[in-house]
Amino acid sequence: MYQAIRLAISSEANNVNLVGVTIRALCFAADISPVDAARIELGIVEALNNIILHGGASEPVTVSWNRAPHSISIEIEDSGQPLPHWPPRSDFPEPFEESGRGWPLIAACFDSIEYRVEASRNTLTLVKAQGIKSA
């Protein structure tokens, strides 16, 4: 059984929490543990914040949820500026630094992260497999 749900939101910061809550609800509906659901939600919120606040996307952002037998895969597509370098910094900054925690948090929440740019569209794919029970 595979489930796929696609959300399209305008590129506004006030939509980030709405998507986070929706993703958490999808996790609970898919019988994902509360701890893993919280991690997935945190990673999605961090990724969307980076895309909307730093990427400059003016067109809608799409978030696709895919439930496979042993994993959750979430794709985020946008038309903002591509990442200047890949992979981004994955270690946490010094405690006194004001920014730079987003990508390390995202990396801590998912088992694999892929990024590609095609036809002026950025696609970030986040996969969580560890701890995900069979569908």
Side-chain angles (χ1 to χ4, degrees):
M1 170 194 332
Y2 295 92
Q3 298 175 356
I5 295 173
R6 186 176 182 137
L7 306 169
I9 61 166
S10 59
S11 295
E12 298 172 16
N14 62 345
N15 288 324
V16 172
N17 286 334
L18 176 62
V19 173
V21 169
T22 302
I23 293 295
R24 182 173 8 121
L26 290 169
C27 287
F28 290 148
D31 198 28
I32 304 223
S33 75
V35 170
D36 285 326
R39 285 184 181 135
I40 292 168
E41 177 185 9
L42 174 62
I44 294 302
V45 166
E46 287 295 332
L48 285 172
N49 276 329
N50 280 347
I51 289 166
I52 291 172
L53 298 176
H54 304 298
S58 59
E59 296 179 19
V61 174
T62 60
V63 180
S64 299
W65 154 279
N66 299 288
R67 173 69 157 113
H70 301 286
S71 67
I72 299 297
S73 172
I74 300 169
E75 277 192 358
I76 303 172
E77 295 181 39
D78 72 277
S79 62
Q81 294 296 314
L83 287 171
H85 54 85
W86 183 258
R89 176 176 151 177
S90 63
D91 55 327
F92 282 95
E94 294 297 320
F96 57 85
E97 291 185 44
E98 293 184 21
S99 64
R101 288 170 185 76
W103 279 110
L105 282 171
I106 295 165
C109 293
F110 293 96
D111 299 318
S112 73
I113 301 172
E114 295 178 17
Y115 173 74
R116 67 184 184 279
V117 179
E118 296 173 352
S120 300
R121 295 285 295 171
N122 304 301
T123 303
L124 181 67
T125 304
L126 308 164
V127 177
K128 177 73 173 148
Q130 290 184 350
I132 304 298
K133 293 186 257 177
S134 181

PDB file of all heavy atoms in Angstrom, residues 106-133:
ATOM      1  N   ILE A 106      17.519  19.467  10.251  1.00  0.00           N
ATOM      2  CA  ILE A 106      16.910  18.673   9.186  1.00  0.00           C
ATOM      3  C   ILE A 106      17.651  17.340   9.041  1.00  0.00           C
ATOM      4  O   ILE A 106      17.034  16.278   8.978  1.00  0.00           O
ATOM      5  CB  ILE A 106      16.900  19.451   7.851  1.00  0.00           C
ATOM      6  CG1 ILE A 106      16.008  20.693   7.966  1.00  0.00           C
ATOM      7  CG2 ILE A 106      16.440  18.560   6.698  1.00  0.00           C
ATOM      8  CD1 ILE A 106      16.198  21.702   6.860  1.00  0.00           C
ATOM      9  N   ALA A 107      18.987  17.401   9.014  1.00  0.00           N
ATOM     10  CA  ALA A 107      19.795  16.180   8.875  1.00  0.00           C
ATOM     11  C   ALA A 107      19.568  15.223  10.040  1.00  0.00           C
ATOM     12  O   ALA A 107      19.578  14.004   9.856  1.00  0.00           O
ATOM     13  CB  ALA A 107      21.273  16.539   8.761  1.00  0.00           C
ATOM     14  N   ALA A 108      19.332  15.750  11.232  1.00  0.00           N
ATOM     15  CA  ALA A 108      19.097  14.901  12.406  1.00  0.00           C
ATOM     16  C   ALA A 108      17.712  14.253  12.381  1.00  0.00           C
ATOM     17  O   ALA A 108      17.502  13.229  13.029  1.00  0.00           O
ATOM     18  CB  ALA A 108      19.271  15.727  13.687  1.00  0.00           C
ATOM     19  N   CYS A 109      16.790  14.820  11.636  1.00  0.00           N
ATOM     20  CA  CYS A 109      15.407  14.324  11.612  1.00  0.00           C
ATOM     21  C   CYS A 109      15.154  13.263  10.551  1.00  0.00           C
ATOM     22  O   CYS A 109      14.174  12.515  10.651  1.00  0.00           O
ATOM     23  CB  CYS A 109      14.443  15.493  11.380  1.00  0.00           C
ATOM     24  SG  CYS A 109      14.382  16.658  12.748  1.00  0.00           S
ATOM     25  N   PHE A 110      15.998  13.188   9.529  1.00  0.00           N
ATOM     26  CA  PHE A 110      15.756  12.271   8.416  1.00  0.00           C
ATOM     27  C   PHE A 110      16.964  11.372   8.186  1.00  0.00           C
ATOM     28  O   PHE A 110      18.084  11.704   8.546  1.00  0.00           O
ATOM     29  CB  PHE A 110      15.422  13.062   7.148  1.00  0.00           C
ATOM     30  CG  PHE A 110      14.111  13.778   7.251  1.00  0.00           C
ATOM     31  CD1 PHE A 110      14.056  15.106   7.632  1.00  0.00           C
ATOM     32  CD2 PHE A 110      12.917  13.108   7.009  1.00  0.00           C
ATOM     33  CE1 PHE A 110      12.842  15.764   7.768  1.00  0.00           C
ATOM     34  CE2 PHE A 110      11.693  13.759   7.140  1.00  0.00           C
ATOM     35  CZ  PHE A 110      11.662  15.087   7.522  1.00  0.00           C
ATOM     36  N   ASP A 111      16.709  10.231   7.549  1.00  0.00           N
ATOM     37  CA  ASP A 111      17.769   9.264   7.270  1.00  0.00           C
ATOM     38  C   ASP A 111      18.509   9.572   5.977  1.00  0.00           C
ATOM     39  O   ASP A 111      19.676   9.228   5.829  1.00  0.00           O
ATOM     40  CB  ASP A 111      17.185   7.847   7.206  1.00  0.00           C
ATOM     41  CG  ASP A 111      16.549   7.454   8.525  1.00  0.00           C
ATOM     42  OD1 ASP A 111      17.138   7.748   9.579  1.00  0.00           O
ATOM     43  OD2 ASP A 111      15.448   6.877   8.504  1.00  0.00           O
ATOM     44  N   SER A 112      17.830  10.189   5.035  1.00  0.00           N
ATOM     45  CA  SER A 112      18.514  10.613   3.815  1.00  0.00           C
ATOM     46  C   SER A 112      17.870  11.889   3.291  1.00  0.00           C
ATOM     47  O   SER A 112      16.675  12.127   3.479  1.00  0.00           O
ATOM     48  CB  SER A 112      18.502   9.518   2.735  1.00  0.00           C
ATOM     49  OG  SER A 112      17.236   9.378   2.165  1.00  0.00           O
ATOM     50  N   ILE A 113      18.707  12.696   2.654  1.00  0.00           N
ATOM     51  CA  ILE A 113      18.268  13.973   2.086  1.00  0.00           C
ATOM     52  C   ILE A 113      18.881  14.082   0.696  1.00  0.00           C
ATOM     53  O   ILE A 113      20.084  13.899   0.534  1.00  0.00           O
ATOM     54  CB  ILE A 113      18.731  15.168   2.946  1.00  0.00           C
ATOM     55  CG1 ILE A 113      18.183  15.052   4.365  1.00  0.00           C
ATOM     56  CG2 ILE A 113      18.317  16.480   2.300  1.00  0.00           C
ATOM     57  CD1 ILE A 113      18.754  16.086   5.319  1.00  0.00           C
ATOM     58  N   GLU A 114      18.047  14.367  -0.286  1.00  0.00           N
ATOM     59  CA  GLU A 114      18.519  14.581  -1.649  1.00  0.00           C
ATOM     60  C   GLU A 114      18.027  15.942  -2.123  1.00  0.00           C
ATOM     61  O   GLU A 114      16.962  16.403  -1.721  1.00  0.00           O
ATOM     62  CB  GLU A 114      18.000  13.493  -2.582  1.00  0.00           C
ATOM     63  CG  GLU A 114      18.529  12.115  -2.270  1.00  0.00           C
ATOM     64  CD  GLU A 114      17.953  11.059  -3.195  1.00  0.00           C
ATOM     65  OE1 GLU A 114      17.397  11.413  -4.266  1.00  0.00           O
ATOM     66  OE2 GLU A 114      18.048   9.877  -2.829  1.00  0.00           O
ATOM     67  N   TYR A 115      18.803  16.541  -3.015  1.00  0.00           N
ATOM     68  CA  TYR A 115      18.435  17.848  -3.551  1.00  0.00           C
ATOM     69  C   TYR A 115      18.799  17.874  -5.024  1.00  0.00           C
ATOM     70  O   TYR A 115      19.858  17.403  -5.427  1.00  0.00           O
ATOM     71  CB  TYR A 115      19.198  18.944  -2.798  1.00  0.00           C
ATOM     72  CG  TYR A 115      19.015  20.324  -3.371  1.00  0.00           C
ATOM     73  CD1 TYR A 115      17.817  21.012  -3.191  1.00  0.00           C
ATOM     74  CD2 TYR A 115      20.033  20.935  -4.082  1.00  0.00           C
ATOM     75  CE1 TYR A 115      17.642  22.281  -3.720  1.00  0.00           C
ATOM     76  CE2 TYR A 115      19.873  22.206  -4.600  1.00  0.00           C
ATOM     77  CZ  TYR A 115      18.675  22.875  -4.425  1.00  0.00           C
ATOM     78  OH  TYR A 115      18.510  24.124  -4.939  1.00  0.00           O
ATOM     79  N   ARG A 116      17.884  18.428  -5.826  1.00  0.00           N
ATOM     80  CA  ARG A 116      18.178  18.585  -7.246  1.00  0.00           C
ATOM     81  C   ARG A 116      17.479  19.835  -7.781  1.00  0.00           C
ATOM     82  O   ARG A 116      16.490  20.285  -7.218  1.00  0.00           O
ATOM     83  CB  ARG A 116      17.774  17.341  -8.041  1.00  0.00           C
ATOM     84  CG  ARG A 116      16.309  17.069  -8.121  1.00  0.00           C
ATOM     85  CD  ARG A 116      16.001  15.752  -8.866  1.00  0.00           C
ATOM     86  NE  ARG A 116      14.588  15.548  -9.025  1.00  0.00           N
ATOM     87  CZ  ARG A 116      13.771  15.073  -8.102  1.00  0.00           C
ATOM     88  NH1 ARG A 116      14.239  14.743  -6.916  1.00  0.00           N
ATOM     89  NH2 ARG A 116      12.485  14.936  -8.348  1.00  0.00           N
ATOM     90  N   VAL A 117      18.008  20.337  -8.874  1.00  0.00           N
ATOM     91  CA  VAL A 117      17.410  21.482  -9.560  1.00  0.00           C
ATOM     92  C   VAL A 117      17.171  21.065 -11.005  1.00  0.00           C
ATOM     93  O   VAL A 117      18.089  20.607 -11.684  1.00  0.00           O
ATOM     94  CB  VAL A 117      18.336  22.716  -9.522  1.00  0.00           C
ATOM     95  CG1 VAL A 117      17.705  23.887 -10.261  1.00  0.00           C
ATOM     96  CG2 VAL A 117      18.676  23.097  -8.097  1.00  0.00           C
ATOM     97  N   GLU A 118      15.918  21.193 -11.453  1.00  0.00           N
ATOM     98  CA  GLU A 118      15.541  20.864 -12.828  1.00  0.00           C
ATOM     99  C   GLU A 118      14.514  21.883 -13.298  1.00  0.00           C
ATOM    100  O   GLU A 118      13.526  22.136 -12.607  1.00  0.00           O
ATOM    101  CB  GLU A 118      14.921  19.465 -12.906  1.00  0.00           C
ATOM    102  CG  GLU A 118      15.862  18.347 -12.532  1.00  0.00           C
ATOM    103  CD  GLU A 118      15.170  16.998 -12.445  1.00  0.00           C
ATOM    104  OE1 GLU A 118      13.920  16.936 -12.519  1.00  0.00           O
ATOM    105  OE2 GLU A 118      15.879  15.992 -12.303  1.00  0.00           O
ATOM    106  N   ALA A 119      14.746  22.441 -14.466  1.00  0.00           N
ATOM    107  CA  ALA A 119      13.799  23.366 -15.085  1.00  0.00           C
ATOM    108  C   ALA A 119      13.360  24.465 -14.109  1.00  0.00           C
ATOM    109  O   ALA A 119      12.172  24.721 -13.936  1.00  0.00           O
ATOM    110  CB  ALA A 119      12.587  22.615 -15.635  1.00  0.00           C
ATOM    111  N   SER A 120      14.310  25.100 -13.466  1.00  0.00           N
ATOM    112  CA  SER A 120      14.063  26.207 -12.532  1.00  0.00           C
ATOM    113  C   SER A 120      13.232  25.810 -11.311  1.00  0.00           C
ATOM    114  O   SER A 120      12.616  26.656 -10.675  1.00  0.00           O
ATOM    115  CB  SER A 120      13.391  27.385 -13.246  1.00  0.00           C
ATOM    116  OG  SER A 120      14.219  27.852 -14.280  1.00  0.00           O
ATOM    117  N   ARG A 121      13.178  24.527 -11.007  1.00  0.00           N
ATOM    118  CA  ARG A 121      12.463  24.037  -9.822  1.00  0.00           C
ATOM    119  C   ARG A 121      13.470  23.324  -8.922  1.00  0.00           C
ATOM    120  O   ARG A 121      14.235  22.485  -9.387  1.00  0.00           O
ATOM    121  CB  ARG A 121      11.349  23.061 -10.185  1.00  0.00           C
ATOM    122  CG  ARG A 121      10.212  23.630 -10.994  1.00  0.00           C
ATOM    123  CD  ARG A 121       9.249  24.498 -10.263  1.00  0.00           C
ATOM    124  NE  ARG A 121       8.500  23.789  -9.241  1.00  0.00           N
ATOM    125  CZ  ARG A 121       7.724  24.414  -8.353  1.00  0.00           C
ATOM    126  NH1 ARG A 121       7.610  25.727  -8.383  1.00  0.00           N
ATOM    127  NH2 ARG A 121       7.067  23.746  -7.450  1.00  0.00           N
ATOM    128  N   ASN A 122      13.450  23.657  -7.658  1.00  0.00           N
ATOM    129  CA  ASN A 122      14.260  22.984  -6.645  1.00  0.00           C
ATOM    130  C   ASN A 122      13.419  21.875  -6.039  1.00  0.00           C
ATOM    131  O   ASN A 122      12.252  22.089  -5.723  1.00  0.00           O
ATOM    132  CB  ASN A 122      14.647  23.950  -5.529  1.00  0.00           C
ATOM    133  CG  ASN A 122      15.350  25.167  -6.045  1.00  0.00           C
ATOM    134  OD1 ASN A 122      16.388  25.065  -6.668  1.00  0.00           O
ATOM    135  ND2 ASN A 122      14.767  26.333  -5.808  1.00  0.00           N
ATOM    136  N   THR A 123      14.006  20.704  -5.854  1.00  0.00           N
ATOM    137  CA  THR A 123      13.304  19.603  -5.209  1.00  0.00           C
ATOM    138  C   THR A 123      14.176  19.060  -4.086  1.00  0.00           C
ATOM    139  O   THR A 123      15.305  18.631  -4.319  1.00  0.00           O
ATOM    140  CB  THR A 123      12.975  18.469  -6.202  1.00  0.00           C
ATOM    141  OG1 THR A 123      12.194  19.003  -7.275  1.00  0.00           O
ATOM    142  CG2 THR A 123      12.194  17.361  -5.510  1.00  0.00           C
ATOM    143  N   LEU A 124      13.631  19.096  -2.893  1.00  0.00           N
ATOM    144  CA  LEU A 124      14.288  18.557  -1.709  1.00  0.00           C
ATOM    145  C   LEU A 124      13.507  17.312  -1.305  1.00  0.00           C
ATOM    146  O   LEU A 124      12.293  17.386  -1.078  1.00  0.00           O
ATOM    147  CB  LEU A 124      14.264  19.595  -0.582  1.00  0.00           C
ATOM    148  CG  LEU A 124      14.934  19.193   0.725  1.00  0.00           C
ATOM    149  CD1 LEU A 124      16.444  19.045   0.531  1.00  0.00           C
ATOM    150  CD2 LEU A 124      14.637  20.238   1.797  1.00  0.00           C
ATOM    151  N   THR A 125      14.182  16.171  -1.238  1.00  0.00           N
ATOM    152  CA  THR A 125      13.533  14.914  -0.865  1.00  0.00           C
ATOM    153  C   THR A 125      14.081  14.467   0.479  1.00  0.00           C
ATOM    154  O   THR A 125      15.292  14.282   0.635  1.00  0.00           O
ATOM    155  CB  THR A 125      13.765  13.822  -1.927  1.00  0.00           C
ATOM    156  OG1 THR A 125      13.301  14.309  -3.194  1.00  0.00           O
ATOM    157  CG2 THR A 125      13.019  12.547  -1.567  1.00  0.00           C
ATOM    158  N   LEU A 126      13.188  14.300   1.438  1.00  0.00           N
ATOM    159  CA  LEU A 126      13.538  13.917   2.798  1.00  0.00           C
ATOM    160  C   LEU A 126      12.925  12.543   3.078  1.00  0.00           C
ATOM    161  O   LEU A 126      11.723  12.352   2.895  1.00  0.00           O
ATOM    162  CB  LEU A 126      12.985  14.945   3.784  1.00  0.00           C
ATOM    163  CG  LEU A 126      13.351  16.399   3.486  1.00  0.00           C
ATOM    164  CD1 LEU A 126      12.465  17.357   4.268  1.00  0.00           C
ATOM    165  CD2 LEU A 126      14.799  16.639   3.785  1.00  0.00           C
ATOM    166  N   VAL A 127      13.744  11.597   3.524  1.00  0.00           N
ATOM    167  CA  VAL A 127      13.272  10.231   3.744  1.00  0.00           C
ATOM    168  C   VAL A 127      13.544   9.819   5.183  1.00  0.00           C
ATOM    169  O   VAL A 127      14.664   9.999   5.688  1.00  0.00           O
ATOM    170  CB  VAL A 127      13.950   9.235   2.781  1.00  0.00           C
ATOM    171  CG1 VAL A 127      13.506   7.806   3.056  1.00  0.00           C
ATOM    172  CG2 VAL A 127      13.670   9.612   1.327  1.00  0.00           C
ATOM    173  N   LYS A 128      12.526   9.255   5.801  1.00  0.00           N
ATOM    174  CA  LYS A 128      12.628   8.688   7.148  1.00  0.00           C
ATOM    175  C   LYS A 128      12.276   7.223   7.041  1.00  0.00           C
ATOM    176  O   LYS A 128      11.159   6.877   6.650  1.00  0.00           O
ATOM    177  CB  LYS A 128      11.672   9.409   8.113  1.00  0.00           C
ATOM    178  CG  LYS A 128      11.651   8.850   9.510  1.00  0.00           C
ATOM    179  CD  LYS A 128      12.891   9.212  10.244  1.00  0.00           C
ATOM    180  CE  LYS A 128      12.803   8.788  11.703  1.00  0.00           C
ATOM    181  NZ  LYS A 128      14.082   8.420  12.253  1.00  0.00           N
ATOM    182  N   ALA A 129      13.232   6.335   7.325  1.00  0.00           N
ATOM    183  CA  ALA A 129      12.997   4.891   7.263  1.00  0.00           C
ATOM    184  C   ALA A 129      13.205   4.236   8.615  1.00  0.00           C
ATOM    185  O   ALA A 129      12.438   3.356   8.999  1.00  0.00           O
ATOM    186  CB  ALA A 129      13.900   4.249   6.215  1.00  0.00           C
ATOM    187  N   GLN A 130      14.227   4.660   9.358  1.00  0.00           N
ATOM    188  CA  GLN A 130      14.485   4.051  10.658  1.00  0.00           C
ATOM    189  C   GLN A 130      13.317   4.309  11.592  1.00  0.00           C
ATOM    190  O   GLN A 130      12.844   5.430  11.722  1.00  0.00           O
ATOM    191  CB  GLN A 130      15.762   4.616  11.271  1.00  0.00           C
ATOM    192  CG  GLN A 130      17.000   4.175  10.563  1.00  0.00           C
ATOM    193  CD  GLN A 130      18.263   4.681  11.252  1.00  0.00           C
ATOM    194  OE1 GLN A 130      18.209   5.504  12.139  1.00  0.00           O
ATOM    195  NE2 GLN A 130      19.385   4.144  10.842  1.00  0.00           N
ATOM    196  N   GLY A 131      12.830   3.246  12.202  1.00  0.00           N
ATOM    197  CA  GLY A 131      11.735   3.366  13.141  1.00  0.00           C
ATOM    198  C   GLY A 131      10.353   3.361  12.503  1.00  0.00           C
ATOM    199  O   GLY A 131       9.355   3.389  13.207  1.00  0.00           O
ATOM    200  N   ILE A 132      10.275   3.314  11.176  1.00  0.00           N
ATOM    201  CA  ILE A 132       8.986   3.317  10.485  1.00  0.00           C
ATOM    202  C   ILE A 132       8.532   1.864  10.326  1.00  0.00           C
ATOM    203  O   ILE A 132       9.209   1.057   9.697  1.00  0.00           O
ATOM    204  CB  ILE A 132       9.070   4.013   9.112  1.00  0.00           C
ATOM    205  CG1 ILE A 132       9.608   5.429   9.251  1.00  0.00           C
ATOM    206  CG2 ILE A 132       7.714   3.977   8.406  1.00  0.00           C
ATOM    207  CD1 ILE A 132       8.761   6.350  10.089  1.00  0.00           C
ATOM    208  N   LYS A 133       7.381   1.563  10.902  1.00  0.00           N
ATOM    209  CA  LYS A 133       6.831   0.207  10.817  1.00  0.00           C
ATOM    210  C   LYS A 133       6.284  -0.040   9.420  1.00  0.00           C
ATOM    211  O   LYS A 133       5.890   0.892   8.718  1.00  0.00           O
ATOM    212  CB  LYS A 133       5.713   0.019  11.835  1.00  0.00           C
ATOM    213  CG  LYS A 133       6.180   0.053  13.274  1.00  0.00           C
ATOM    214  CD  LYS A 133       5.034  -0.289  14.192  1.00  0.00           C
ATOM    215  CE  LYS A 133       4.493   0.956  14.822  1.00  0.00           C
ATOM    216  NZ  LYS A 133       3.333   0.720  15.670  1.00  0.00           N
TER     217      LYS A 133
END
